[in-house]
Structure formats: structure tokens, C-alpha cells
């Protein structure tokens, strides 16, 4: 191993004001899963995303879990989930005792294929199972908005609500609307590697006030309005801490700068690979739709060895590792995960192929010029 400092795929990037907000929480003794920073952070999220209501929660996974509860997902129900994603999109379906049914991706955005979705709903309908389908979870992977109009058209023809997993796409827009605010509910994540972070955290957003009020209620152990502790239903301990919400408020001030930096990273890779492709290679960056705007959370490539003189993504990943540069294969689809081996799946091999040939490259908003010199030199030498 080299003694070079590690270049991370995506690392936390503080702007400077976070510490002040955290200090304020200490000075006012609001060290609890409620307080002015929680309210302030929610207001920031509502304003930024143009969505009426936001509940700040302990993680994106917790937000999805609570959303499924609000949509009355229970044992023997079905939830349709994009297969090409992180397990946080799918695990909450299992927490509710329900069954995930996975859908393949399409090649234009790498997200849920509306045609495969339609096939799934048609088939479930024929099997008499459509009444069990309680939600559809499309994901905006690596920041790229999914084909929401097409997905919404299919969903509404069966009257099934859409829960957007916008964990990776805070700040991305589709036809002018922020991801998370397009479906019936949306989820953001503020985990350490996301575009902004509260170290760990998440949010559930919706234009439906009742739902978000209910999310806050469920996230604080479903406490009824009584002087003693009284419960008429099962809740969760999923509220975001006021200390961490302080970090979130600081991060919201620099979200746009982070998006700009990440989009510059993407451009830089575009330039790098267009130089490399002139030498007979065919490396492709994540595509997308014309009328959508990606925050470019992670710059990701696909490189088919058949089009790249036999060079493959594991070769590149290991080569970068030598220089202590972190890169990671694209998400392994959920329908290929041992834990979901018995789950239903609709589609072809688009997601499987993306996993086989795809790689996420260092994409932090805090990459230095020195980091970039190392990344570019190493990638260029791999292809020379
Ligand atoms: C990060 C992530 C989640 C989960 O968010 P956490 O805050 O880590 O629980 C869910 N879905 C996707 C697509 C993610 O990338």
C-alpha cells in the first residue's frame, strides 16, 4: 500500500457555520430530539425544495419506514421497489412485514423502467394481487431523476401512491420540480457520504400535512395527547436530534455550492474520458434526461470490456486502489442480493449489466487540485 493520503469516494464537507449552530444548541441546552434547530432545518428543507411539509428524522431508512407505515403497508402487502439501489430503499418493506417486488432499470437514467413497472402491475393484477400493492418506490440514483412522468402515469392508472427515494438527489430537479416533491411523499438522507450531511439523518416530505404531522407523531413513539404516557398505536424513536439538525442548517447554506462542485467533477470526468475515448476506448458517464438537472452526487461510468480493449471496471478499481484512490462498483441490484433471492422481479438484465460494468469515481465537493492531479494521472495511465 502507498502512504498517499486517501482520496474518498464522497466525504463530509463542512462549510463553517455548522459549528455555530451546534454551539447554539449547547448554549441553550437543546440537546434532545426536538428543538429550534429541528424546526429550522425542516423549514429550510421545505423552502429549498418547494414542498409544504418536512419532518426531520434520524435517517433516510427511518423516513422510508415511517412513510410505509403512513401508507398502511402491513404483512402480506406488496411494495414495488427499484431493484438497482442501496438496500435502504428495500429494507423498510421487510420491517413492515410486507413483500418487496423488484423492477429493472432503463438505460437512459439507470432508474426504474416504466415499461417493466407496467408489466409488473399488469401481471399482479392478473394474479388478483393488485389490491395488495400499497406503494411504488422509484429512486433517483447518484442524483439523476427517474422518468417520473411515465412512472406517475402507470402508478395513477392503478391508483398506487409514489414514495420517491430522493436520498441521493437533494437539489436535483425534474421538469423544474425538485426530486422528493414529485411523488406523494419523498425521502432525503443526510448520511455522512451524501451531498450534505448531519453525520446521520433523514427527512420525509410531502404536500400532505396530515401525513407529515403523522410522521412526527410516529417518530416520537406515537405519544397521545395526555399528561401521562399514553399510546393507542406503535411508534418509533426516529426523530432527528437538535444537535444534528444544527449541522443540517449549516449544510443547507452551502448545498448549492456542493451541487456546483459535484457538477464540475462530472464535467471534469467528461473531459478526461473524451480524451481517453479518442484513443479507441468507449467509457460512458451516467446519461440522463434533457429536462432534468442532476446534482451529480456521484460521477459514475460504465466500461464494457468488449468495447474497451478488454479493460474492465475491476481492473480500473484495483489500479486506483494502488494510489489510495477509492472507487466503488455501482449498486448491486436487490434482486441479485442473497437476502432477496426469493423476491419477485420484473424486467431484463439492464441493472445486472450496469452492476457488472459500472464504477463510481471520487466525487466529493472537497476534492483538491492535488487530488484531481492524482486521479487524472492514474486514470489516464490505466488507459495508456
Ligand atoms: C443513503 C440511501 C438511503 C438510506 O439513507 P440513510 O440515511 O443512510 O438511512 C436510502 N436509499 C438510497 C438510494 C440511499 O442512497
Amino acid at each position: 500500500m502507498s502512504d498517499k493520503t486517501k482520496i474518498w469516494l464522497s466525504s463530509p464537507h463542512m462549510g463553517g457555520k455548522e459549528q455555530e449552530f451546534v454551539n447554539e444548541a449547547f448554549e441553550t441546552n437543546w440537546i434532545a430530539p426536538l428543538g429550534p434547530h429541528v424546526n429550522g432545518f425542516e423549514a429550510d428543507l421545505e423552502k429549498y425544495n418547494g414542498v409544504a411539509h418536512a419532518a426531520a428524522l434520524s435517517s433516510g431508512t427511518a423516513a422510508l419506514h415511517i412513510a410505509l407505515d403512513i401508507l398502511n403497508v402491513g404483512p402480506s402487502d406488496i411494495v414495488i421497489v427499484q431493484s438497482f439501489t442501496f438496500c435502504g430503499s428495500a429494507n423498510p418493506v421487510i420491517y413492515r412485514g410486507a413483500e418487496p417486488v423488484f423492477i429493472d432499470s432503463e438505460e437512459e437514467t439507470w432508474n426504474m423502467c416504466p415499461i417493466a413497472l407496467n408489466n409488473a402491475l399488469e401481471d399482479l393484477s392478473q394474479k388478483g394481487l393488485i389490491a395488495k400493492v400499497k406503494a411504488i418506490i422509484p429512486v433517483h440514483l447518484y442524483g439523476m431523476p427517474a422518468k417520473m412522468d411515465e412512472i406517475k402515469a402507470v402508478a395513477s392508472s392503478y391508483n398506487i401512491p409514489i414514495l420517491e427515494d430522493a436520498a441521493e438527489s437533494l437539489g436535483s430537479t425534474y421538469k423544474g420540480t425538485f426530486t422528493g416533491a414529485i411523488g406523494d411523499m419523498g425521502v432525503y438522507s443526510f448520511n455522512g457520504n451524501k451531498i450534505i450531511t448531519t453525520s446521520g439523518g433523514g427527512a420525509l416530505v410531502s404536500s400532505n400535512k396530515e401525513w407529515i404531522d403523522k410522521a412526527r407523531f410516529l417518530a416520537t413513539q406515537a405519544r397521545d395527547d395526555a399528561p401521562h404516557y399514553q399510546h393507542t398505536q406503535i411508534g418509533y424513536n426516529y426523530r432527528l436530534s437538535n444537535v444534528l439538525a444544527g449541522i443540517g442548517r449549516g449544510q443547507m447554506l452551502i448545498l448549492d455550492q456542493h451541487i456546483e462542485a459535484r457538477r464540475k467533477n462530472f464535467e471534469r470526468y467528461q473531459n478526461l474520458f473524451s480524451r481517453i475515448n479518442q484513443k479507441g476506448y468507449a467509457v460512458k458517464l451516467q446519461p440522463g434526461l434533457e429536462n432534468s438537472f442532476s446534482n451529480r452526487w456521484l460521477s459514475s461510468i460504465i466500461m464494457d470490456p468488449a468495447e474497451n480493449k478488454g479493460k474492465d471496471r475491476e481492473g480500473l478499481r484495483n489500479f486506483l486502489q494502488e494510489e489510495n484512490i477509492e472507487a466503488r462498483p455501482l449498486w448491486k441490484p436487490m434482486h441479485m442480493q442473497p437476502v432477496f433471492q426469493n423476491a419477485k422481479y420484473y424486467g431484463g438484465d439492464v441493472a445486472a449489466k450496469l452492476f457488472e460494468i459500472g464504477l463510481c469515481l471520487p466525487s466529493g465537493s472537497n476534492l483538491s487540485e492535488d487530488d484531481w492531479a492524482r486521479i487524472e494521472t492514474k486514470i489516464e495511465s490505466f488507459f495508456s
Side-chain angles (χ1 to χ4, degrees):
M1 279 299 292
S2 80
D3 53 4
K4 300 210 156 104
T5 49
K6 179 157 179 167
I7 298 178
W8 298 89
L9 190 67
S10 176
S11 70
H13 185 193
M14 295 297 111
K17 289 269 189 235
E18 293 84 359
Q19 191 83 58
E20 283 175 36
F21 284 107
V22 169
N23 288 348
E24 197 182 313
F26 274 74
E27 281 153 17
T28 54
N29 206 29
W30 279 105
I31 315 293
L34 80 169
H37 285 339
V38 175
N39 303 341
F41 186 42
E42 287 175 346
D44 291 345
L45 288 167
E46 289 161 0
K47 189 168 170 218
Y48 187 94
N49 294 296
V51 64
H53 307 285
L57 301 169
S58 55
S59 71
T61 309
L64 284 157
H65 192 183
I66 282 195
L68 294 179
D69 192 332
I70 291 168
L71 295 172
N72 288 317
V73 174
S76 93
D77 284 333
I78 292 170
V79 176
I80 307 276
V81 187
Q82 178 168 323
S83 182
F84 190 47
T85 187
F86 173 61
C87 69
S89 311
N91 287 351
V93 178
I94 305 293
Y95 304 161
R96 293 298 303 160
E99 178 191 342
V101 167
F102 295 112
I103 306 292
D104 200 4
S105 291
E106 36 78 12
E107 282 168 346
E108 274 175 281
T109 73
W110 298 358
N111 292 310
M112 184 180 278
C113 172
I115 298 163
L117 172 66
N118 195 50
N119 291 343
L121 295 178
E122 241 171 55
D123 187 55
L124 292 167
S125 197
Q126 271 161 20
K127 292 188 168 126
L129 295 170
I130 199 74
K132 291 181 177 294
V133 182
K134 295 286 176 66
I136 297 170
I137 307 181
V139 189
H140 308 293
L141 274 191
Y142 309 124
M144 178 56 67
K147 291 187 172 176
M148 290 307 290
D149 278 354
E150 290 88 339
I151 290 168
K152 271 172 91 168
V154 176
S156 67
S157 71
Y158 288 90
N159 236 327
I160 303 166
I162 293 179
L163 170 56
E164 280 180 87
D165 182 343
E168 303 179 358
S169 65
L170 180 65
S172 298
T173 63
Y174 173 83
K175 298 188 177 175
T177 305
F178 281 94
T179 56
I182 305 164
D184 298 273
M185 279 193 264
V187 164
Y188 301 118
S189 166
F190 313 112
N191 202 351
N193 59 353
K194 298 284 161 52
I195 195 153
I196 63 165
T197 183
T198 57
S199 70
L204 182 65
V205 300
S206 179
S207 60
N208 186 324
K209 181 175 190 299
E210 251 171 69
W211 280 350
I212 300 303
D213 285 345
K214 182 148 190 210
R216 295 196 186 99
F217 167 75
L218 287 173
T220 47
Q221 301 288 27
R223 220 187 133 184
D224 293 341
D225 192 10
H228 55 279
Y229 277 82
Q230 161 107 359
H231 309 277
T232 48
Q233 75 183 95
I234 297 293
Y236 310 86
N237 181 6
Y238 277 176
R239 206 70 162 111
L240 185 67
S241 148
N242 192 61
V243 178
L244 304 187
I247 303 176
R249 291 184 83 178
Q251 289 271 278
M252 283 304 284
L253 298 173
I254 48 157
L255 172 56
D256 283 338
Q257 287 168 38
H258 283 197
I259 294 170
E260 205 185 305
R262 295 211 182 225
R263 285 176 59 86
K264 278 217 180 94
N265 290 340
F266 186 85
E267 263 173 47
R268 216 155 167 162
Y269 284 119
Q270 263 180 328
N271 294 335
L272 173 65
F273 287 109
S274 80
R275 285 200 302 276
I276 288 167
N277 288 347
Q278 276 165 16
K279 292 183 260 168
Y281 294 98
V283 178
K284 297 173 187 119
L285 279 108
Q286 182 177 23
L289 306 173
E290 237 173 58
N291 43 22
S292 65
F293 173 90
S294 170
N295 67 10
R296 297 290 182 198
W297 172 55
L298 294 186
S299 288
S300 305
I301 56 167
I302 47 175
M303 42 186 295
D304 191 336
E307 297 171 354
N308 287 285
K309 309 182 190 183
K311 292 188 188 291
D312 67 7
R313 78 101 199 281
E314 274 305 279
L316 176 57
R317 193 180 66 76
N318 288 322
F319 193 74
L320 291 169
Q321 189 64 50
E322 283 173 13
E323 177 70 23
N324 213 7
I325 298 171
E326 186 183 30
R328 194 178 297 153
L330 300 188
W331 298 123
K332 180 170 183 172
M334 290 302 115
H335 74 279
M336 296 169 71
Q337 296 287 355
V339 78
F340 292 123
Q341 63 186 349
N342 297 319
K344 285 198 190 79
Y345 171 72
Y346 293 87
D349 64 355
V350 175
K353 184 81 184 169
L354 288 169
F355 168 60
E356 189 189 317
I357 63 173
L359 191 67
C360 301
L361 297 169
S363 302
S365 45
N366 48 4
L367 291 173
S368 68
E369 279 308 312
D370 281 354
D371 293 339
W372 267 109
R374 283 169 58 198
I375 293 166
E376 287 174 333
T377 306
K378 195 71 181 167
I379 292 179
E380 239 151 355
S381 81
F382 179 78
F383 287 99
S384 66

